[in-house]
Amino acid sequence: MSDKTTLKYTPEHEWLEIDGDIATVGITDYAADKLGDVVFVELPAVDSELASGTVVGEIESTKSVGELFAPVNGSVVEANAAVVDDSALVNSDPFGDGWLIKVRFTELPSNLLSWDEYSALVGE
């Protein structure tokens, strides 16, 4: 599991772990809990170009269908096949094995939140 306090967050309940110019992206435990039991995950293909704020995937649960938004501009360098094969990983380990995509980006958006800011957003 990643240290939640070192990650960046979006208001759309995604987390980003930054390593150089690669961002590993997942959804937060708050989002996973609100979705309920995840039964299907659709991720963008490797080499897909992403535009920040656009829908790039889908997370379907027993309660609803959620959209995955690109948190940064960039290209997908890896999609987590384990999550596609076993979507329950999104619920059981959202900050670890339940990560979704890795994106090579050129610039981080200025609206990313710290852990304290995200916690305040969701009231935790």
Side-chain angles (χ1 to χ4, degrees), residues 15-29:
W15 58 262
L16 291 84
E17 183 175 49
I18 309 301
D19 183 12
D21 63 349
I22 303 292
T24 301
V25 179
I27 65 169
T28 65
D29 50 355

Side-chain angles (χ1 to χ4, degrees), residues 7-8 14 18-19 21-22 29 31 39 45 54 57 59 61-62 67 69 73 81 85 91 98-99 102-103 113-114 124:
L7 303 175
K8 297 292 186 186
E14 295 168 326
I18 309 301
D19 183 12
D21 63 349
I22 303 292
D29 50 355
V39 295
T54 62
I59 302 171
S61 72
T62 55
E67 297 174 323
F69 292 91
N73 294 329
D85 292 341
N91 294 109
W99 65 272
K102 294 186 179 190
V103 180
L113 307 172
S114 68
E124 293 183 353

